[in-house]
């Protein structure tokens, strides 16, 4: 990587930035899920490794969240955008050199940001935990150059139209910059009180709804047609998805604070808008699943499609939960319980991660021009992820329902802690499976780079057989 | 932008996103900002000071730049006996909460009474001063700048005080140590009344930053914990090792907040304590009681955090 930092633009091979982002994202996935598994152990056995004060739960919890969001998901997105956007525009990345620098400064910034969070230097706002100097760094050093590369590549495309995936990429990067800067206004200008609390959740909701889920969807809009060879089922339904995301997904932020004393009209408005996210959700899932027509055998035989479609299928329960759990009647029961933790992991570790993993698997093969080293290891990774996630989701959902019942009947809290104990152990096992699966993935990817079978010029990875 | 459709699309996109932000940020902002501070909000601001998360004056969240809450039972100037009164002492240079420095935080009435009766306009951060929270005949809560109205200065109040609470610094600890990842400060409106008490009102948060509601409750709500359990001894044991008082607790130990010396200047040996505790927990012969929990020094972080929790009435 370092040798490309000072190289001339024309001497940097195409796809370098995407490759570096891809490999970094896997590394951060291992780190993030490792910390997650560690935290889960703490919740099951609080005295298990007493004495290491640097590893206090209260300091590690947000490090896990930001390592997976910025490290894994963010970098997997950057990697995807930096090879998909040029491919769809029939051109090359606007600035490969800026991409390489972007990747380096992204990694450096993330290390610094996590080190500060780890040592307790925090703004005290969930999801916007970073202190404001770090927020500015993230916005202007990590996100803006990345966005510029995406926008300029699209403007310099050599195709007439812009494909669905690229609308999403361009718009989501724009919304991310806006949401990041507006959502952190309370820190920049020391806004206080309920305004600050509400803005915190406005930020959290929109960063998830306008960056993480739509970009993951955009990736599947590319991967599925590309590998199956089928055209996207409907461009128009894609339009419906896009516009309903912008209109319906950007408005229900207040549904995160249904039990707080926010204005009642705002809660009702957010609740109704929250149900309307079913519009983009249904449009999207139908569009992708119908694109698979006639090619369902790839769901079994092809790793990338297996990951992608599993992600899309997980988007169904995700959006059914998301649409209805924030209505007053259901929110009354499950607000602030493990149910929400399960739901958040369904979005990030379920739907989104499976789509991104597919994209990184596919992108690395295309960029390296090498077939995946081992299909068996990739299948192992897939099942570790899926079973680990399912254990996690199921145990947290059950423990959330226990908590909800205890909340309604006002059971003494320690009885909830006792009742949740077995589920905390299952959660820890699930998270640890994901962590070990990712280590295998890294090994598989490194071996692909070293000794994967070469893909002949003019061929797609899907056209080359798996040999291991 | 080769196609006209993209120009139209971009305009529509800009319109949609702006309209969305107008409805979800501007309109709620007007509503929320129009709420007057309650008495609770005034007390919170004067207890917690300017900012409890990362800020320029306390970048490593050590509990600096915070007021001290004291209880008085005699007038510090005259020495005459008075009803027990909470006073908030801002030493010279301590930053004021937003309610004292911005006109739009307290709410119209509260601001007017605090200025006319409370004379808060005369207070300055450079000189510091002592504040009280009062309620006037119309039930309007207001802040009184006691240094101007009663001649109570910082040193006299600290000297005359019955007890001093570092709850403001403690809130910084609460943020830094991530207590709010498990303990909410938000009893829910539709339940929680019996066990966790009254949910907060809209005006309870004016000027507070950050609010640290918490979102993921893995432990009891703490908004009124000081009313449920006001025992400093229990809190001390619980922070040092929660399993001493609640065997099923999954809370981490916060013994490292004690620092190196206890209240009498004796060195605290956490490793030795842990060895004794393990023997006790394993039911070793002759180990009938758990080892003594050291009393935290008056300037220790543990003391700050305990003060904060006990102050949550």
């Amino acid at each position: 990587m370092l040798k490309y930092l000072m190289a001339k633009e024309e001497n940097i091979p195409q796809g370098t930035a995407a490759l570096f982002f891809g490999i970094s994202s896997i590394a951060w996935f291992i780190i993030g899920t490792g910390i997650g598994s560690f935290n889960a152990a703490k919740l099951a056995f609080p005295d298990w490794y007493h004495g290491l004060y640097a590893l206090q739960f209260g300091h590690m919890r947000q490090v896990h969240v930001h390592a997976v969001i910025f490290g894994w998901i963010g970098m997997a997105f950057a990697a995807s955008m930096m090879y998909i956007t040029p491919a769809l525009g029939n051109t090359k990345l606007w600035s490969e050199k800026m991409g390489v620098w972007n990747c380096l400064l992204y990694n450096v910034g993330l290390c610094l940001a996590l080190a500060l969070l780890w040592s307790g230097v925090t703004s005290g706002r969930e999801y916007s935990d970073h202190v404001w100097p770090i927020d500015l760094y993230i916005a202007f050093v990590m996100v803006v150059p990345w966005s510029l590369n995406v926008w300029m590549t699209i403007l310099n495309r050599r195709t007439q139209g812009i494909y669905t995936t690229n609308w999403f990429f361009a718009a989501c990067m724009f919304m991310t910059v806006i949401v990041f800067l507006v959502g952190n206004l309370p820190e920049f200008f020391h806004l206080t009180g309920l305004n600050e609390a509400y803005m915190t959740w406005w930020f959290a909701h929109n960063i998830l709804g306008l960056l993480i889920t739509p970009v993951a969807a955009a990736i599947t809009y590319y991967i599925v047609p590309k590998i199956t060879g089928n055209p996207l089922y409907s461009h128009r339904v894609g339009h419906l998805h896009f516009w309903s995301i912008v209109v319906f997904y950007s408005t229900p932020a207040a549904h995160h604070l249904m039990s707080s004393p926010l204005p009642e009209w705002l809660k009702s408005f957010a609740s109704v808008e929250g149900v309307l996210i079913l519009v983009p959700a249904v449009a999207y899932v139908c569009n992708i699943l119908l694109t698979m027509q006639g090619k369902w055998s790839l769901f079994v035989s092809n790793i990338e499609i297996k990951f992608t479609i599993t992600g899309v299928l997980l988007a169904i329960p995700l959006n059914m939960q998301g649409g209805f759990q924030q209505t007053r009647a259901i929110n009354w029961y499950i607000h602030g319980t493990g149910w929400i933790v399960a739901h958040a992991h369904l979005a990030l570790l379920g739907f989104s991660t499976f789509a991104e993993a597919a994209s990184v698997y596919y992108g690395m093969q295309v960029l390296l021009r090498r077939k995946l080293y081992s299909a068996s290891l990739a299948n192992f990774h897939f099942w570790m992820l899926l079973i680990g996630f399912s254990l996690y989701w199921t145990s947290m959902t059950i423990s959330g329902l226990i908590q909800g019942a205890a909340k309604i009947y006002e059971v003494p809290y320690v009885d909830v802690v006792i009742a949740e104990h077995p589920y905390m152990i299952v959660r820890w096992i699930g998270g640890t499976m994901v962590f070990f699966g990712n280590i295998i993935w890294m090994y598989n990817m490194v071996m692909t780079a070293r000794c994967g079978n070469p893909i002949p010029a003019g061929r797609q990875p899907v056209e080359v057989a798996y040999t291991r | 932008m080769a196609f006209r459709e993209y120009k139209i699309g971009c305009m529509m996109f800009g319109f949609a996103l702006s309209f969305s932000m107008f409805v979800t940020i501007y309109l709620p902002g007007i509503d929320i900002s129009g709420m007057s501070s309650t008495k609770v909000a005034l007390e919170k601001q004067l207890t917690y000071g300017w900012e409890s998360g990362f800020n320029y004056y306390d970048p490593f969240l050590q509990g600096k730049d915070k007021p001290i809450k004291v209880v008085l039972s005699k007038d510090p100037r005259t020495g005459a006996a008075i009803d027990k009164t909470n006073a908030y002492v801002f030493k010279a240079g301590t930053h004021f909460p937003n309610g004292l420095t911005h006109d739009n935080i307290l709410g119209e009435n509260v601001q007017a009474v605090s200025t006319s009766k409370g004379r808060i306009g005369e207070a300055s951060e450079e000189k510091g001063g002592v504040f009280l929270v009062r309620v006037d005949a119309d039930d309007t809560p207001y802040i009184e700048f006691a240094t101007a109205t009663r001649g109570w200065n910082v040193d006299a109040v600290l000297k005359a005080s019955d007890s001093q609470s570092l709850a403001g610094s403690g809130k910084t600890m609460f943020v830094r140590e991530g207590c709010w990842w498990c303990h909410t400060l938000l009893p829910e409106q539709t339940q929680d009344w019996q066990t966790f008490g009254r949910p907060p009102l809209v005006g309870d948060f004016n000027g507070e930053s950050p609010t640290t509601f918490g979102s993921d409750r893995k432990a009891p709500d703490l908004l009124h914990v000081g009313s449920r359990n006001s025992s400093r001894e229990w809190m001390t044991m619980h922070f040092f090792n929660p399993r001493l008082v609640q065997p099923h607790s999954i809370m981490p130990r916060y013994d490292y907040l004690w620092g190196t010396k206890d209240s009498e200047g004796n060195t605290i040996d956490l490793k030795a304590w842990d060895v004794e505790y393990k023997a006790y927990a394993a039911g070793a012969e002759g180990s009938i009681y758990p080892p003594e929990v050291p009393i935290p020094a008056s300037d220790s972080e543990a003391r700050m955090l305990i003060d904060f929790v006990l102050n949550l009435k």
Side-chain angles (χ1 to χ4, degrees), chain A residues 194-326:
Chain A
L194 262 192
N195 273 321
E196 178 242 72
Y198 173 57
M199 288 295 283
T200 300
W201 284 102
W202 185 89
F203 170 88
H205 176 83
N206 286 338
I207 210 73
L208 294 166
L210 302 180
L211 174 73
I212 293 175
T213 43
V215 173
I219 286 172
T220 63
Y221 274 132
Y222 176 74
I223 297 286
V224 173
K226 184 77 185 171
I227 293 178
T228 59
N230 287 348
L232 182 64
Y233 175 73
S234 168
H235 192 75
R236 285 212 174 166
V237 174
H239 269 288
L240 177 63
H241 177 200
F242 179 84
W243 288 106
S244 52
I245 286 273
V246 176
V247 176
F248 298 142
Y249 223 133
S250 64
T251 43
H255 69 210
H256 292 261
L257 293 170
M258 287 301 258
S259 59
S260 76
L262 281 180
E264 290 299 315
W265 72 263
L266 183 62
K267 289 192 224 168
S268 298
F269 171 75
S271 187
V272 173
E273 293 285 304
V275 177
L276 289 174
I277 65 154
L278 288 170
V279 175
V282 173
Y284 160 67
V285 171
C286 294
N287 212 357
I288 291 290
L289 294 185
L290 288 169
T291 305
M292 284 294 289
Q293 284 176 89
K295 297 289 170 67
W296 277 98
S297 63
L298 287 172
F299 184 36
V300 180
S301 63
N302 180 281
I303 291 299
E304 294 85 51
I305 289 291
K306 188 181 275 181
F307 269 100
T308 311
I309 295 300
T310 307
V312 175
L313 293 174
L314 288 172
I316 298 172
L318 168 69
N319 287 294
M320 288 297 160
Q321 280 193 335
F324 292 114
Q325 72 188 13
Q326 43 79 37

Side-chain angles (χ1 to χ4, degrees), chain A residues 7 35 53 74 80 88 123 134 148-149 234 311 331 346 380 452 459:
Chain A
I35 295 172
Y53 297 115
S80 309
L88 287 171
S123 70
I134 295 287
L148 260 183
N149 240 340
S234 168
N331 200 263
L346 179 56
F380 181 74
R459 293 285 173 190

Side-chain angles (χ1 to χ4, degrees), chain A residues 47 50 59 61-62 122 126 162 190 193 195-196 198 202 250 265 267 332 335-336 403 407 410 413, chain B residues 6 20 24 31 33 50-51 54 177 181 188-192 194-195 205 208 210 215 217 243 253:
Chain A
D47 273 337
H50 172 71
H59 288 211
R61 193 251 192 217
Q62 60 271 43
T122 168
E126 188 167 3
I162 303 176
H190 199 254
N195 273 321
E196 178 242 72
Y198 173 57
W202 185 89
S250 64
W265 72 263
K267 289 192 224 168
W332 170 71
H335 180 262
Q403 261 180 295
K407 184 172 73 169
E410 309 214 12
Y413 206 91
Chain B
Y6 293 139
S20 152
T24 58
D31 256 22
S33 305
W50 185 64
E51 164 72 47
F54 169 84
E177 296 302 323
W181 292 123
E188 299 193 5
Q189 289 180 333
T190 44
Q191 57 272 332
D192 286 348
Q194 284 185 33
T195 31
F205 299 99
E208 189 187 6
S215 65
R217 193 187 278 172
R243 262 71 62 196
R253 302 187 198 178

